[in-house]
Amino acid sequence: MGGYTLIENASLANRNTLRVDARATLLAEIRDATKLPELLDFPAVRNGRLLVLGEGSNVLFTEDFEGTVLAMATRGVQVESDGDSARIAVAAGERWDDFVRWTLGQGFAGLENLILIPGTVGAAPIQNIGAYGCEVAEFVESVEAWDTRARCVVKLDQATCAFAYRDSLFKREPGRYIITAVRFRLPRSRALRTDYAGIEEQLARMGVDHPAPFHVAEAVVHLRTSKLPDPAVIGNAGSFFKNPIVNAALAAQLKQDHPELPAWPQPDGSVKLSAAWLIETAGFKGVREGDAGISNRHALVLVNHGKASGPQLWALAQRVIVGVHAVFGVQLEPEPLVIGAR
Ligand code: FAD
Ligand code: EPU
């Protein structure tokens, strides 16, 4: 059988960056997307639950996965047209950061602010990855996926993907689409985004007056490595909570009580608040319960100091949600997919 590998009762410990020791009834690693229909037709796969997994950098397992974990290991990058901009089709299993660096090396602009985000290209549209003032949605022309409901290949254009802050069609219809490739449209040059806090200062420290995309990428790498704990050193899934978006009245009241609360007004009048600030101010930064903790470097990051189980990590996350709500009346929501959440 070419194109995929099947393992029964497989460990997922090295397949999630929170390093939770979970297992899957069946692990199917797929290297050839054209074999998906054949794989999905196996009775053991067809009749059970399915979870698509990239690098597991945005997943918390609170229990074993009873069903098939489909690990995307497809590869390939195709530049479809060129000129002032290019259309680039990328297989879902490619590493996001490798792709970003490749685009910079080829002289394309756009993805520089999104450098060093862990994970696969196929996962990037799921929560519309974003950092340092940019979101991937802006560069996604279309997404190719296997629609498990209609049982056919579909091509979803950018509007259909309904991208929003840490959100998309794929999060609203979980499990329906298996993304096999993402088609990007990237320009050769564009106005750089350097307004996110810290970028201009870092470019100045680097002595760069007229930045090119790779300078911005270098500045972002510096900021990210100085702020976020490295999953290779300590288990984590990046921000564990989304920045909450609240109505203007609640934001105004909170700003009155806490003028230093970082807040970003949204086009529709709502206001995005800094979850890290809320968590730190509620007293959770650096807390530890057994091996489950909140990073002392960044209050948004749930960390596994060693052998924390999924339920232990989830219990601490819930304590943070309850604690922040008690102090500020703001409801935090997890960013990662939580398997087995009740
Ligand atoms: P996984 O964690 O494997 O999966 C995430 C979700 O996508 C799951 O629901 C899964 O079922 C689904 N999925 C994955 N692949 C597919 C596919 N091919 N088809 C259908 N569904 C799929 N995110 C940001 O937005 N910005 C950041 O700045 C950022 N920084 C991070 C820093 C660190 C240190 C870490 C650990 C994480 C960070 N993240 C950030 C979160 C994470 O990197 C992204 O969400 C990334 O896109 C997840 O990719 P993955 O391949 O690991 O997906
Ligand atoms: N802050 C605190 N305490 C902390 C950390 C930060 O009060 O411990 C305050 C900072 O002072 C700052 C504000 O929070 O004013 C924002 O901090 P930061 O720039 O680190 O951004 P963030 O809102 O915490 C978001 C994304 C990150 C992304 C960065 C950079 C979400 C949920 N998180 O974090 O994405 O890398 O901005 O753009 O939107 C991820 O999604 O996994 C992720 C890491």
Side-chain angles (χ1 to χ4, degrees), residues 52-54 58-59 92 120-130 136-137 140 143 145 161-180 182 242 335-337:
V52 187
L53 199 63
N58 219 21
V59 177
T120 52
V121 167
I126 303 293
Q127 72 159 4
N128 178 22
I129 56 170
V136 75
V140 173
V143 168
C161 293
F163 292 118
Y165 167 66
R166 297 295 189 269
D167 199 19
S168 70
L169 166 77
F170 310 107
K171 288 203 90 166
R172 280 169 244 160
E173 292 199 49
R176 175 164 176 183
Y177 298 101
I178 301 170
I179 295 179
T180 49
V182 182
K242 290 187 271 192
E335 180 189 283
L337 174 69

Side-chain angles (χ1 to χ4, degrees), residues 48-336:
R49 293 165 68 209
L50 188 70
L51 170 69
V52 187
L53 199 63
E55 284 182 12
S57 66
N58 219 21
V59 177
L60 168 60
F61 289 95
T62 71
E63 61 185 22
D64 290 342
F65 189 76
E66 285 180 22
T68 302
V69 166
L70 181 65
M72 299 303 286
T74 53
R75 296 282 185 274
V77 177
Q78 277 174 293
V79 181
E80 294 183 343
S81 66
D82 215 330
D84 288 345
S85 71
R87 208 189 259 156
I88 307 172
V90 188
E94 288 283 348
R95 287 190 65 242
W96 173 258
D97 186 50
D98 289 349
F99 171 58
V100 171
R101 287 167 198 267
W102 178 86
T103 66
L104 293 170
Q106 296 291 312
F108 295 115
L111 302 183
E112 54 277 0
N113 296 49
L114 302 178
I115 196 163
L116 214 61
I117 299 180
T120 52
V121 167
I126 303 293
Q127 72 159 4
N128 178 22
I129 56 170
Y132 292 89
C134 289
E135 289 180 337
V136 75
E138 193 183 336
F139 305 99
V140 173
E141 192 174 83
S142 64
V143 168
E144 193 182 287
W146 176 264
D147 181 343
T148 58
R149 198 181 299 168
R151 290 175 165 267
C152 62
V153 174
V154 289
K155 194 170 148 186
L156 307 163
D157 64 16
Q158 190 203 47
T160 308
C161 293
F163 292 118
Y165 167 66
R166 297 295 189 269
D167 199 19
S168 70
L169 166 77
F170 310 107
K171 288 203 90 166
R172 280 169 244 160
E173 292 199 49
R176 175 164 176 183
Y177 298 101
I178 301 170
I179 295 179
T180 49
V182 182
R183 194 166 274 108
F184 298 89
R185 166 73 71 180
L186 292 183
R188 286 266 171 207
S189 90
R190 73 194 271 271
L192 297 173
R193 302 266 174 79
T194 58
D195 47 335
Y196 194 94
I199 297 188
E200 293 283 5
E201 294 82 344
Q202 182 55 28
L203 288 170
R205 275 193 291 272
M206 287 157 52
V208 176
D209 294 332
H210 303 289
F214 68 89
H215 290 119
V216 175
E218 192 182 328
V220 169
V221 165
H222 179 88
L223 291 168
R224 291 186 67 96
T225 43
S226 64
K227 280 189 193 184
L228 290 170
D230 179 356
V233 177
I234 184 165
N236 77 84
S239 300
F240 193 84
F241 303 98
K242 290 187 271 192
N243 284 326
I245 297 177
V246 303
N247 64 46
L250 176 56
Q253 183 207 317
L254 287 166
K255 270 302 240 187
Q256 198 174 5
D257 296 343
H258 310 277
E260 67 288 12
L261 163 63
W264 301 276
Q266 302 298 293
D268 67 355
S270 60
V271 182
K272 194 195 273 181
L273 305 175
S274 161
W277 187 93
L278 296 170
I279 294 167
E280 178 168 350
T281 308
F284 288 102
K285 190 168 181 174
V287 300
R288 184 169 173 167
E289 285 178 359
D291 274 352
I294 299 295
S295 170
N296 58 11
R297 293 180 65 187
H298 199 300
L300 260 191
V301 183
L302 183 71
V303 291
N304 185 351
H305 287 283
K307 294 198 172 335
S309 66
Q312 285 166 339
L313 289 161
W314 186 224
L316 178 56
Q318 284 172 304
R319 233 189 89 200
V320 171
I321 292 173
V322 170
V324 165
H325 191 264
V327 179
F328 298 108
V330 175
Q331 186 68 36
L332 293 182
E333 284 176 25
E335 180 189 283

